[in-house]
């Protein structure tokens, strides 16, 4: 983790922006998750270079780690909520519908996430590891999910510049 943080700190020092991720639900403890977030928060305080935090739920199929279950919806929502409170210096917390489902990501917008990622056309990594979600959601379905959650859908660039907003 130290080397990963060093690479991001160097990139941020060069003016590059990046995203911070955390794979969870495998062999780590809750204390490990908090430690990970604390390190991210400290680096963000020093550089301001992270655009978003993206918690990634572990998918156990076709993986060598001795884990035989998926994360629970409660764990996924709790992870988002803790991230929003703990990572107070991150403007964006993503929920990745491909890993936790469309409906849970929609609910995640009420638990601290402000970004449902994304308009993927063909996803293989999560699905090769046992993902049960569709490989693609059309833009109009993402707009519907966000609107029904009481949020305002905004299409954005990878650097969070607004491209289009829906009313």
């Amino acid at each position: 983790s130290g080397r990963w943080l060093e690479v991001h700190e160097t990139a941020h020092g060069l003016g590059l922006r990046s995203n911070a991720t955390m794979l969870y639900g495998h062999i780590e403890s809750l204390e490990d998750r908090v430690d990970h977030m604390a390190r991210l928060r400290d680096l963000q305080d020093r550089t301001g270079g992270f655009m978003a935090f993206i918690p990634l739920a572990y998918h156990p199929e076709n993986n060598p780690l001795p884990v035989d279950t998926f994360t629970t919806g409660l764990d996924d929502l709790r992870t988002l909520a803790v991230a929003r409170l703990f990572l107070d210096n991150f403007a964006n917390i993503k929920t990745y519908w491909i890993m936790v489902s469309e409906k849970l990501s929609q609910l995640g917008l009420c638990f601290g996430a402000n970004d449902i990622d994304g308009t993927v056309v063909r996803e293989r990594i999560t699905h090769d590891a046992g993902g049960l979600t569709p490989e693609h959601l059309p833009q109009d379905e993402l707009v519907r999910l966000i609107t029904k959650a009481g949020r305002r859908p905004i299409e954005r660039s990878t650097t969070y510049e607004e491209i289009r907003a829906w009313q």
Side-chain angles (χ1 to χ4, degrees), residues 5 33 36 41 43 45 47 59 65 69-70 72-73 87 94-95 103 107 117 131-132 134 144 162:
L5 290 166
R33 293 184 198 184
H36 185 86
R41 185 176 63 190
L43 182 56
D45 279 342
T47 68
H59 283 62
L65 292 177
T69 60
F70 289 86
T72 66
L87 299 175
K94 288 188 189 187
T95 177
K103 288 182 179 182
L107 188 57
D117 197 29
L132 303 173
R144 187 190 71 75
E162 185 175 313

mmCIF file of all heavy atoms in Angstrom, residues 5 33 36 41 43 45 47 59 65 69-70 72-73 87 94-95 103 107 117 131-132 134 144 162:
data_model
loop_
_atom_site.group_PDB
_atom_site.id
_atom_site.type_symbol
_atom_site.label_atom_id
_atom_site.label_comp_id
_atom_site.label_asym_id
_atom_site.label_seq_id
_atom_site.Cartn_x
_atom_site.Cartn_y
_atom_site.Cartn_z
ATOM 1 N N LEU A 5 0.509 4.349 -2.701
ATOM 2 C CA LEU A 5 0.300 5.736 -2.280
ATOM 3 C C LEU A 5 1.411 6.642 -2.796
ATOM 4 O O LEU A 5 1.165 7.777 -3.206
ATOM 5 C CB LEU A 5 0.199 5.822 -0.759
ATOM 6 C CG LEU A 5 -1.067 5.210 -0.158
ATOM 7 C CD1 LEU A 5 -0.895 5.034 1.343
ATOM 8 C CD2 LEU A 5 -2.287 6.046 -0.474
ATOM 9 N N ARG A 33 -9.913 -1.738 6.542
ATOM 10 C CA ARG A 33 -10.644 -0.787 5.703
ATOM 11 C C ARG A 33 -10.468 0.643 6.223
ATOM 12 O O ARG A 33 -10.237 1.576 5.450
ATOM 13 C CB ARG A 33 -12.133 -1.119 5.654
ATOM 14 C CG ARG A 33 -12.444 -2.408 4.942
ATOM 15 C CD ARG A 33 -13.938 -2.606 4.865
ATOM 16 N NE ARG A 33 -14.290 -3.988 4.590
ATOM 17 C CZ ARG A 33 -15.512 -4.414 4.397
ATOM 18 N NH1 ARG A 33 -16.528 -3.563 4.456
ATOM 19 N NH2 ARG A 33 -15.756 -5.679 4.148
ATOM 20 N N HIS A 36 -7.019 1.866 5.455
ATOM 21 C CA HIS A 36 -6.926 2.222 4.034
ATOM 22 C C HIS A 36 -7.511 3.618 3.799
ATOM 23 O O HIS A 36 -6.893 4.463 3.148
ATOM 24 C CB HIS A 36 -7.661 1.169 3.197
ATOM 25 C CG HIS A 36 -7.549 1.356 1.723
ATOM 26 N ND1 HIS A 36 -6.489 0.856 0.997
ATOM 27 C CD2 HIS A 36 -8.349 1.978 0.833
ATOM 28 C CE1 HIS A 36 -6.646 1.175 -0.285
ATOM 29 N NE2 HIS A 36 -7.786 1.842 -0.412
ATOM 30 N N ARG A 41 -7.209 9.538 3.006
ATOM 31 C CA ARG A 41 -7.564 10.868 3.489
ATOM 32 C C ARG A 41 -6.314 11.708 3.736
ATOM 33 O O ARG A 41 -6.261 12.887 3.381
ATOM 34 C CB ARG A 41 -8.411 10.777 4.753
ATOM 35 C CG ARG A 41 -8.914 12.149 5.213
ATOM 36 C CD ARG A 41 -9.823 12.060 6.397
ATOM 37 N NE ARG A 41 -9.107 11.526 7.546
ATOM 38 C CZ ARG A 41 -9.682 11.164 8.677
ATOM 39 N NH1 ARG A 41 -10.991 11.251 8.819
ATOM 40 N NH2 ARG A 41 -8.970 10.696 9.666
ATOM 41 N N LEU A 43 -3.342 11.384 2.287
ATOM 42 C CA LEU A 43 -2.744 11.759 1.004
ATOM 43 C C LEU A 43 -3.572 12.844 0.327
ATOM 44 O O LEU A 43 -3.020 13.793 -0.242
ATOM 45 C CB LEU A 43 -2.599 10.538 0.090
ATOM 46 C CG LEU A 43 -1.948 10.815 -1.266
ATOM 47 C CD1 LEU A 43 -0.577 11.474 -1.119
ATOM 48 C CD2 LEU A 43 -1.840 9.532 -2.072
ATOM 49 N N ASP A 45 -5.309 15.118 1.807
ATOM 50 C CA ASP A 45 -4.997 16.364 2.510
ATOM 51 C C ASP A 45 -3.705 16.987 1.979
ATOM 52 O O ASP A 45 -3.606 18.203 1.850
ATOM 53 C CB ASP A 45 -4.846 16.125 4.019
ATOM 54 C CG ASP A 45 -6.169 16.056 4.752
ATOM 55 O OD1 ASP A 45 -7.198 16.517 4.206
ATOM 56 O OD2 ASP A 45 -6.173 15.537 5.886
ATOM 57 N N THR A 47 -2.231 16.381 -1.125
ATOM 58 C CA THR A 47 -2.143 16.647 -2.567
ATOM 59 C C THR A 47 -3.419 17.186 -3.198
ATOM 60 O O THR A 47 -3.347 17.897 -4.197
ATOM 61 C CB THR A 47 -1.761 15.366 -3.334
ATOM 62 O OG1 THR A 47 -2.852 14.426 -3.270
ATOM 63 C CG2 THR A 47 -0.486 14.741 -2.786
ATOM 64 N N HIS A 59 -15.581 -10.057 -5.738
ATOM 65 C CA HIS A 59 -16.375 -11.129 -6.327
ATOM 66 C C HIS A 59 -15.536 -12.406 -6.258
ATOM 67 O O HIS A 59 -14.435 -12.449 -6.807
ATOM 68 C CB HIS A 59 -16.759 -10.788 -7.766
ATOM 69 C CG HIS A 59 -17.879 -9.813 -7.846
ATOM 70 N ND1 HIS A 59 -17.806 -8.539 -7.351
ATOM 71 C CD2 HIS A 59 -19.125 -9.934 -8.345
ATOM 72 C CE1 HIS A 59 -18.952 -7.915 -7.542
ATOM 73 N NE2 HIS A 59 -19.775 -8.747 -8.140
ATOM 74 N N LEU A 65 -8.351 -16.359 -3.769
ATOM 75 C CA LEU A 65 -8.520 -16.097 -2.341
ATOM 76 C C LEU A 65 -9.588 -17.015 -1.759
ATOM 77 O O LEU A 65 -10.607 -17.276 -2.404
ATOM 78 C CB LEU A 65 -8.906 -14.636 -2.105
ATOM 79 C CG LEU A 65 -7.831 -13.601 -2.413
ATOM 80 C CD1 LEU A 65 -8.371 -12.194 -2.205
ATOM 81 C CD2 LEU A 65 -6.596 -13.813 -1.560
ATOM 82 N N THR A 69 -18.219 -16.242 -0.490
ATOM 83 C CA THR A 69 -19.466 -15.488 -0.532
ATOM 84 C C THR A 69 -19.221 -14.079 -1.050
ATOM 85 O O THR A 69 -18.126 -13.536 -0.945
ATOM 86 C CB THR A 69 -20.102 -15.380 0.872
ATOM 87 O OG1 THR A 69 -19.190 -14.708 1.739
ATOM 88 C CG2 THR A 69 -20.432 -16.748 1.441
ATOM 89 N N PHE A 70 -20.274 -13.519 -1.595
ATOM 90 C CA PHE A 70 -20.253 -12.129 -2.030
ATOM 91 C C PHE A 70 -20.485 -11.225 -0.819
ATOM 92 O O PHE A 70 -20.989 -11.672 0.219
ATOM 93 C CB PHE A 70 -21.359 -11.872 -3.067
ATOM 94 C CG PHE A 70 -21.102 -12.508 -4.402
ATOM 95 C CD1 PHE A 70 -21.466 -13.828 -4.645
ATOM 96 C CD2 PHE A 70 -20.507 -11.782 -5.420
ATOM 97 C CE1 PHE A 70 -21.233 -14.406 -5.871
ATOM 98 C CE2 PHE A 70 -20.263 -12.365 -6.655
ATOM 99 C CZ PHE A 70 -20.629 -13.679 -6.879
ATOM 100 N N THR A 72 -22.459 -8.478 1.405
ATOM 101 C CA THR A 72 -23.896 -8.280 1.591
ATOM 102 C C THR A 72 -24.264 -6.858 1.195
ATOM 103 O O THR A 72 -23.408 -5.961 1.161
ATOM 104 C CB THR A 72 -24.299 -8.500 3.063
ATOM 105 O OG1 THR A 72 -23.688 -7.473 3.863
ATOM 106 C CG2 THR A 72 -23.885 -9.872 3.553
ATOM 107 N N GLY A 73 -25.538 -6.636 0.925
ATOM 108 C CA GLY A 73 -26.006 -5.288 0.633
ATOM 109 C C GLY A 73 -25.741 -4.343 1.794
ATOM 110 O O GLY A 73 -25.369 -3.185 1.601
ATOM 111 N N LEU A 87 -14.056 10.154 4.554
ATOM 112 C CA LEU A 87 -13.302 10.824 3.479
ATOM 113 C C LEU A 87 -13.934 12.177 3.180
ATOM 114 O O LEU A 87 -14.373 12.450 2.064
ATOM 115 C CB LEU A 87 -13.250 9.934 2.240
ATOM 116 C CG LEU A 87 -12.556 8.583 2.438
ATOM 117 C CD1 LEU A 87 -12.676 7.731 1.193
ATOM 118 C CD2 LEU A 87 -11.101 8.771 2.839
ATOM 119 N N LYS A 94 -18.094 7.064 -5.417
ATOM 120 C CA LYS A 94 -18.808 6.313 -6.450
ATOM 121 C C LYS A 94 -19.392 5.023 -5.901
ATOM 122 O O LYS A 94 -18.816 4.382 -5.037
ATOM 123 C CB LYS A 94 -17.852 5.909 -7.582
ATOM 124 C CG LYS A 94 -17.407 7.019 -8.468
ATOM 125 C CD LYS A 94 -16.628 6.423 -9.632
ATOM 126 C CE LYS A 94 -15.967 7.493 -10.461
ATOM 127 N NZ LYS A 94 -15.357 6.927 -11.683
ATOM 128 N N THR A 95 -20.520 4.663 -6.459
ATOM 129 C CA THR A 95 -21.040 3.312 -6.302
ATOM 130 C C THR A 95 -21.033 2.690 -7.699
ATOM 131 O O THR A 95 -21.495 3.299 -8.665
ATOM 132 C CB THR A 95 -22.445 3.299 -5.666
ATOM 133 O OG1 THR A 95 -22.904 1.945 -5.612
ATOM 134 C CG2 THR A 95 -23.439 4.161 -6.397
ATOM 135 N N LYS A 103 -29.996 -1.610 -8.328
ATOM 136 C CA LYS A 103 -30.863 -1.131 -7.239
ATOM 137 C C LYS A 103 -30.058 -0.753 -6.002
ATOM 138 O O LYS A 103 -30.366 0.240 -5.333
ATOM 139 C CB LYS A 103 -31.921 -2.175 -6.898
ATOM 140 C CG LYS A 103 -32.984 -2.292 -7.974
ATOM 141 C CD LYS A 103 -34.054 -3.289 -7.596
ATOM 142 C CE LYS A 103 -35.116 -3.350 -8.681
ATOM 143 N NZ LYS A 103 -36.198 -4.275 -8.322
ATOM 144 N N LEU A 107 -29.810 2.947 -4.224
ATOM 145 C CA LEU A 107 -29.931 3.182 -2.792
ATOM 146 C C LEU A 107 -28.661 3.815 -2.222
ATOM 147 O O LEU A 107 -28.718 4.636 -1.308
ATOM 148 C CB LEU A 107 -30.241 1.868 -2.081
ATOM 149 C CG LEU A 107 -30.595 1.927 -0.613
ATOM 150 C CD1 LEU A 107 -31.808 2.834 -0.377
ATOM 151 C CD2 LEU A 107 -30.871 0.528 -0.087
ATOM 152 N N ASP A 117 -21.416 4.843 -11.316
ATOM 153 C CA ASP A 117 -20.495 4.612 -12.424
ATOM 154 C C ASP A 117 -20.914 3.327 -13.112
ATOM 155 O O ASP A 117 -21.050 2.303 -12.448
ATOM 156 C CB ASP A 117 -19.084 4.480 -11.846
ATOM 157 C CG ASP A 117 -17.984 4.651 -12.859
ATOM 158 O OD1 ASP A 117 -18.188 5.373 -13.830
ATOM 159 O OD2 ASP A 117 -16.918 4.060 -12.654
ATOM 160 N N GLY A 131 -19.818 -11.924 -11.392
ATOM 161 C CA GLY A 131 -20.794 -10.834 -11.352
ATOM 162 C C GLY A 131 -22.123 -11.241 -11.956
ATOM 163 O O GLY A 131 -22.165 -11.918 -12.984
ATOM 164 N N LEU A 132 -23.209 -10.817 -11.309
ATOM 165 C CA LEU A 132 -24.550 -11.210 -11.741
ATOM 166 C C LEU A 132 -25.311 -10.087 -12.433
ATOM 167 O O LEU A 132 -26.431 -10.285 -12.884
ATOM 168 C CB LEU A 132 -25.351 -11.694 -10.523
ATOM 169 C CG LEU A 132 -24.711 -12.845 -9.748
ATOM 170 C CD1 LEU A 132 -25.496 -13.132 -8.474
ATOM 171 C CD2 LEU A 132 -24.600 -14.084 -10.622
ATOM 172 N N PRO A 134 -26.106 -7.011 -15.309
ATOM 173 C CA PRO A 134 -25.936 -6.940 -16.761
ATOM 174 C C PRO A 134 -24.557 -6.381 -17.107
ATOM 175 O O PRO A 134 -23.928 -5.721 -16.280
ATOM 176 C CB PRO A 134 -27.023 -5.963 -17.208
ATOM 177 C CG PRO A 134 -27.902 -5.728 -16.042
ATOM 178 C CD PRO A 134 -27.182 -6.150 -14.824
ATOM 179 N N ARG A 144 -33.030 7.111 -15.242
ATOM 180 C CA ARG A 144 -34.228 6.729 -14.489
ATOM 181 C C ARG A 144 -33.886 6.343 -13.053
ATOM 182 O O ARG A 144 -34.531 6.792 -12.104
ATOM 183 C CB ARG A 144 -34.945 5.572 -15.183
ATOM 184 C CG ARG A 144 -36.295 5.216 -14.555
ATOM 185 C CD ARG A 144 -36.869 3.910 -15.108
ATOM 186 N NE ARG A 144 -36.127 2.758 -14.653
ATOM 187 C CZ ARG A 144 -36.204 2.244 -13.414
ATOM 188 N NH1 ARG A 144 -36.983 2.784 -12.513
ATOM 189 N NH2 ARG A 144 -35.492 1.177 -13.081
ATOM 190 N N GLU A 162 -19.073 18.896 -16.162
ATOM 191 C CA GLU A 162 -20.450 18.629 -16.574
ATOM 192 C C GLU A 162 -20.571 18.700 -18.099
ATOM 193 O O GLU A 162 -20.125 19.652 -18.720
ATOM 194 C CB GLU A 162 -21.396 19.653 -15.930
ATOM 195 C CG GLU A 162 -22.845 19.358 -16.209
ATOM 196 C CD GLU A 162 -23.791 20.293 -15.482
ATOM 197 O OE1 GLU A 162 -23.589 20.515 -14.262
ATOM 198 O OE2 GLU A 162 -24.712 20.811 -16.134
#
